[in-house]
Amino acid sequence: MEKQVILCLILINAAIAFGLSLQEEQQEEYLLPTVLVTLLVRNKAHVLPMFLSYLAQLDYPKDRIAIWVRCDHSSDNSIEILQEWLEHTADFYHSVNYALDNDETKGQSHHNETSPYDWPVSRFKHVIALKEEAFEYARDIWADFVFFLDSDVMLTEKQTLKSLIGLRLPIVAPMLLSEGLYSNFWCGMTEDYYYQRTDEYKEIYQVKKLGVFQVPMIHTAVMVDMNYKRTRNLTFDRVRLQEMQKNRGQSPIYEGPADDIIVFAISANSSGIPLHVSNELAFGYVLQPLEPSDTLEQDLLQIINIRANMVNDLGAVPPLLDYFQESVQLPEKSKLTLDHIYMINLDRRPERRQKMENLFDELGLNVEHFSAVDGKQLNSERLQEMGIQFLSGYEDPYHHRAMTMGEIGCFLSHYNIWKQMLELNQKEVLILEDDIRFEPYFTGNALRVINQARNAVEYDLIYFGRKRLKEETEPWVEGADSLVHVGYSYWTLGYVISLEGARKLLAANPLKKLIPVDEFLPLMFDRHPNKTWSSAFEERNLIALSAAPLLLYPIHYTGETGYISDTEDSQQINVESATTTCDSEPRLKSDREHIFISQDDNHVLDQLSSMVIAKSHQEL
């Protein structure tokens, strides 16, 4: 009997504790600030399933979120997608205020609008009026925060709302990633209120500087603390801004563009409210605005690029809501008009294989997995059995050591593919390694490079990704604007090789004078600076080219925190020359340093850094 009483008491106490814990948790959620999320939608059916899925999956109590959404002048099925989303989720939110397209505006253009991506005066006026209405609505419902969110944003970080609110700033934006260097903030503004490129912008965007930064402009995803007294002075309307400035006796009166995002930034600045952007978390992604002459196809290609970046950054594209799963349409798979594409991967690296296969799905690449030779399974006895001999006098030019077993395995992996090409008579093959990041529009650019090579010159090898090691002239291939004759380079991240190229490499009998594969290739096209090593290979007539700009890069570099190189972090072979000493600090072959960039590449980088495309600003 006493045991039963004790057991009952234990159960009662546990229930009370659970109830109190649950009550505290509910009370904590109740104390969280209320947020109004404002959405303006037009012709976004192709991105809405992703946008709405990630919005719904934010880790913030939905009963503390109000939704305000407007959709008009749409000619696609944006309304139907919004309605489906609201049917599934509206009841979970504190409130939903929406006005969707009607017969008067459905499919209609704004006055003087040349395309759905044009921004005439009439469209600016309409959007500004809607944003002003959203501001008033936020005040009417006593929202603590209002989050102005464009519908081409993908917030993959579930802690976005909690993170931004926790910063306790009057106005802040989460930094979003896109193509090139485009994002939703500026670090500089010209005297006539347009984007000005700065070095700090790149440092923030590339997360070389981590934190929260005061900037002159934020847009696209903007959180405003409505409890901050001065936010009463915020506006998107130029006329209202001018009136407030006159009433305050401010000078000069703003006479710049009647663009909603610029007016908002100036209204904050003239009211003494700082704007901030945070890159403390990888918040998500944003599509670049389209130009009036663009088509929907351009946005669809952007989505492919962003989904590929999600795989690079997150391992996979975060799943959509169940009822949006059918909206995902992956590109049809191809081999880029080549005979075959191989991806070299160690069997003990299944996570890399899975990530690459996710990438191939997103990019539409038909790729065969090729098992790498594992350096960890090699030893001196096995190398002797294979008849492998090493180039006399070879030592790593940075570490001053002999080859590692990982480097041997890497060479043998490429070597085995060259042999298989001959056995299967594969005339053109793309060989990829398993830790690479594809540049935007990879498929189209790769086809362009391949076709230019076929039409302009006979070739044996085309680098898609490499590390330039000498500041030397690399002449353009005649008749091509995306190909150069390649100089001394490292890395075998990805390259196209012809059947004749494979024959030349195998004919050199490289297993009898083995060196790392990324040293062997420049020896074979006779651009290696070490003439002693070069003299060991009589025929050095490989015709090697490189894509310009490059089409892929490593995801990681040796020396980065948490990254282990399978080639450089492995056992060395037992060769006397490996004991050579060096006074200087050795560098890693795959580090970020000492990569020489041509003038043409600098031009490309300069274009990317200035690629902050805003809507076509026009003055009212």
Side-chain angles (χ1 to χ4, degrees):
M1 187 68 177
E2 288 182 3
K3 288 183 180 180
Q4 292 176 334
V5 171
I6 292 173
L7 181 59
C8 287
L9 289 173
I10 291 173
L11 292 173
I12 291 171
N13 288 332
I16 293 172
F18 176 77
L20 289 173
S21 174
L22 186 61
Q23 192 175 23
E24 287 174 0
E25 185 177 331
Q26 291 172 338
Q27 186 175 10
E28 183 180 342
E29 286 194 357
Y30 180 75
L31 293 175
L32 286 173
T34 57
V35 183
L36 173 68
V37 179
T38 73
L39 314 176
L40 297 181
V41 179
R42 184 190 181 191
N43 291 325
K44 291 296 182 181
H46 54 291
V47 71
L48 272 177
M50 295 181 73
F51 168 76
L52 295 171
S53 292
Y54 301 147
L55 176 61
Q57 293 167 13
L58 292 176
D59 184 15
Y60 201 86
K62 287 184 172 56
D63 60 2
R64 305 299 288 169
I65 298 176
I67 300 290
W68 183 94
V69 57
R70 297 292 183 269
C71 177
D72 53 49
H73 295 80
S74 281
S75 55
D76 63 9
N77 63 331
S78 292
I79 291 179
E80 290 76 9
I81 295 174
L82 284 168
Q83 288 173 332
E84 183 175 16
W85 182 73
L86 290 172
E87 287 174 6
H88 283 88
T89 63
D91 290 343
F92 295 102
Y93 289 102
H94 179 272
S95 63
V96 176
N97 182 305
Y98 65 92
L100 305 184
D101 230 339
N102 54 47
D103 293 337
E104 295 179 3
T105 62
K106 185 170 178 62
Q108 296 297 310
S109 299
H110 291 280
H111 180 62
N112 289 336
E113 186 179 74
T114 61
S115 80
Y117 316 114
D118 188 16
W119 280 84
V121 169
S122 56
R123 185 173 181 184
F124 269 113
K125 283 184 174 179
H126 181 66
V127 167
I128 288 168
L130 289 176
K131 288 189 173 182
E132 290 291 296
E133 180 187 336
F135 244 147
E136 285 304 313
Y137 182 74
R139 296 183 182 107
D140 290 344
I141 66 171
W142 295 86
D144 294 310
F145 289 85
V146 58
F147 192 27
F148 290 96
L149 190 61
D150 287 1
S151 54
D152 46 12
V153 171
M154 285 145 274
L155 294 173
T156 51
E157 173 51 64
K158 294 184 179 182
Q159 299 298 316
T160 295
L161 290 181
K162 288 182 178 178
S163 174
L164 296 179
I165 290 170
L167 294 174
R168 300 182 180 276
L169 293 168
I171 310 176
V172 64
M175 189 190 78
L176 303 172
L177 301 174
S178 188
E179 296 171 12
L181 291 174
Y182 178 79
S183 190
N184 59 319
F185 72 101
W186 301 356
C187 277
M189 185 182 287
T190 64
E191 291 182 357
D192 52 352
Y193 308 104
Y194 288 99
Y195 171 79
Q196 185 175 52
R197 184 161 54 97
T198 67
D199 291 336
E200 186 184 25
Y201 179 88
K202 289 195 289 185
E203 291 174 343
I204 295 172
Y205 185 84
Q206 296 169 348
V207 199
K208 293 179 180 177
K209 293 172 63 175
L210 181 67
V212 182
F213 307 92
Q214 185 171 341
V215 293
M217 161 69 78
I218 54 177
H219 59 88
T220 303
V222 177
M223 179 77 79
V224 180
D225 184 348
M226 299 299 288
N227 295 315
Y228 191 75
K229 186 176 180 180
R230 293 182 187 177
T231 56
R232 284 276 176 184
N233 299 324
L234 294 174
T235 183
F236 299 94
D237 188 325
R238 185 175 67 175
V239 173
R240 184 163 178 256
L241 170 61
Q242 292 170 337
E243 290 174 351
M244 288 191 295
Q245 288 179 323
K246 290 174 183 177
N247 292 337
R248 291 197 293 256
Q250 291 180 330
S251 180
I253 301 298
Y254 175 74
E255 296 292 345
D259 179 302
D260 52 305
I261 64 174
I262 294 178
V263 170
F264 179 83
I266 300 304
S267 73
N269 179 59
S270 64
S271 301
I273 309 175
L275 304 175
H276 289 85
V277 65
S278 170
N279 67 358
E280 291 183 321
L281 297 176
F283 291 102
Y285 307 83
V286 61
L287 298 177
Q288 290 189 20
L290 299 183
E291 294 295 322
S293 58
D294 286 332
T295 64
L296 177 61
E297 181 64 23
Q298 178 64 27
D299 244 8
L300 296 177
L301 290 174
Q302 283 199 75
I303 292 174
I304 290 174
N305 295 333
I306 284 181
R307 287 176 63 93
N309 284 341
M310 289 179 179
V311 176
N312 282 322
D313 301 336
L314 309 173
V317 176
L320 305 190
L321 295 168
D322 290 343
Y323 49 89
F324 285 148
Q325 290 289 348
E326 294 182 0
S327 68
V328 178
Q329 295 183 345
L330 297 176
E332 186 177 348
K333 294 251 181 136
S334 83
K335 296 182 181 179
L336 301 173
T337 72
L338 302 168
D339 287 342
H340 214 65
I341 305 176
Y342 293 103
M343 185 266 293
I344 298 173
N345 165 257
L346 288 166
D347 290 341
R348 60 182 167 86
R349 295 288 190 193
E351 75 288 351
R352 288 190 183 180
R353 176 178 178 178
Q354 184 59 60
K355 184 174 180 179
M356 290 299 296
E357 288 179 350
N358 291 342
L359 263 178
F360 299 148
D361 288 341
E362 297 297 336
L363 295 174
L365 296 177
N366 185 354
V367 182
E368 179 184 342
H369 169 258
F370 193 90
S371 290
V373 176
D374 194 339
K376 288 188 177 295
Q377 297 179 4
L378 297 175
N379 53 43
S380 298
E381 291 75 18
R382 177 66 179 138
L383 298 183
Q384 287 180 358
E385 290 173 7
M386 298 170 68
I388 290 177
Q389 300 174 20
F390 298 91
L391 181 66
S392 176
Y394 169 78
E395 65 174 18
D396 182 279
Y398 296 111
H399 288 283
H400 298 274
R401 55 155 171 77
M403 287 181 70
T404 68
M405 291 298 182
E407 288 173 328
I408 298 168
C410 179
F411 191 106
L412 292 174
S413 302
H414 288 268
Y415 181 86
N416 289 342
I417 293 180
W418 304 337
K419 286 202 311 179
Q420 184 159 307
M421 286 180 65
L422 266 64
E423 293 167 3
L424 301 179
N425 196 35
Q426 293 173 335
K427 294 181 173 57
E428 292 176 300
V429 163
L430 172 59
I431 301 175
L432 300 171
E433 295 184 348
D434 67 353
D435 197 15
I436 55 177
R437 175 186 289 269
F438 293 93
E439 284 292 275
Y441 309 102
F442 170 80
T443 302
N445 289 332
L447 287 170
R448 176 182 176 86
V449 167
I450 292 166
N451 288 328
Q452 284 190 10
R454 289 167 176 164
N455 296 330
V457 67
E458 289 186 4
Y459 80 90
D460 295 321
L461 182 142
I462 308 171
Y463 283 99
F464 276 9
R466 63 185 174 119
K467 171 181 175 178
R468 293 189 65 196
L469 291 171
K470 286 184 68 178
E471 195 169 8
E472 58 183 332
T473 300
E474 292 189 329
W476 290 96
V477 172
E478 186 176 352
D481 60 12
S482 301
L483 281 168
V484 295
H485 293 279
V486 67
Y488 182 36
S489 302
Y490 270 163
W491 297 346
T492 49
L493 308 169
Y495 60 93
V496 173
I497 184 169
S498 69
L499 183 59
E500 181 61 24
R503 282 199 184 100
K504 290 179 180 180
L505 296 177
L506 294 171
N509 201 12
L511 300 191
K512 295 299 181 182
K513 37 197 168 183
L514 194 66
I515 57 175
V517 65
D518 55 0
E519 299 277 14
F520 175 62
L521 293 180
L523 283 173
M524 291 300 293
F525 56 78
D526 205 24
R527 296 301 292 270
H528 200 291
N530 190 317
K531 300 308 177 186
T532 301
W533 298 353
S534 297
S535 63
F537 300 89
E538 294 182 6
E539 295 293 330
R540 301 186 298 276
N541 58 352
L542 194 75
I543 304 172
L545 313 174
S546 174
L550 297 174
L551 304 182
L552 49 86
Y553 291 88
I555 291 180
H556 299 290
Y557 295 81
T558 304
E560 288 184 349
T561 302
Y563 176 65
I564 298 175
S565 167
D566 289 311
T567 56
E568 296 185 20
D569 185 52
S570 59
Q571 181 184 357
Q572 298 175 26
I573 62 169
N574 185 17
V575 177
E576 289 183 3
S577 61
T579 62
T580 305
T581 60
C582 177
D583 294 332
S584 61
E585 181 72 18
R587 295 196 307 272
L588 299 173
K589 291 171 66 174
S590 55
D591 65 5
R592 291 180 182 270
E593 304 302 320
H594 303 282
I595 301 177
F596 293 98
I597 300 176
S598 68
Q599 289 183 346
D600 301 293
D601 289 335
N602 266 325
H603 175 65
V604 172
L605 291 176
D606 189 61
Q607 286 181 321
L608 287 175
S609 357
S610 60
M611 194 188 297
V612 177
I613 305 172
K615 294 174 290 190
S616 302
H617 305 303
Q618 298 189 24
E619 195 167 337
L620 288 177

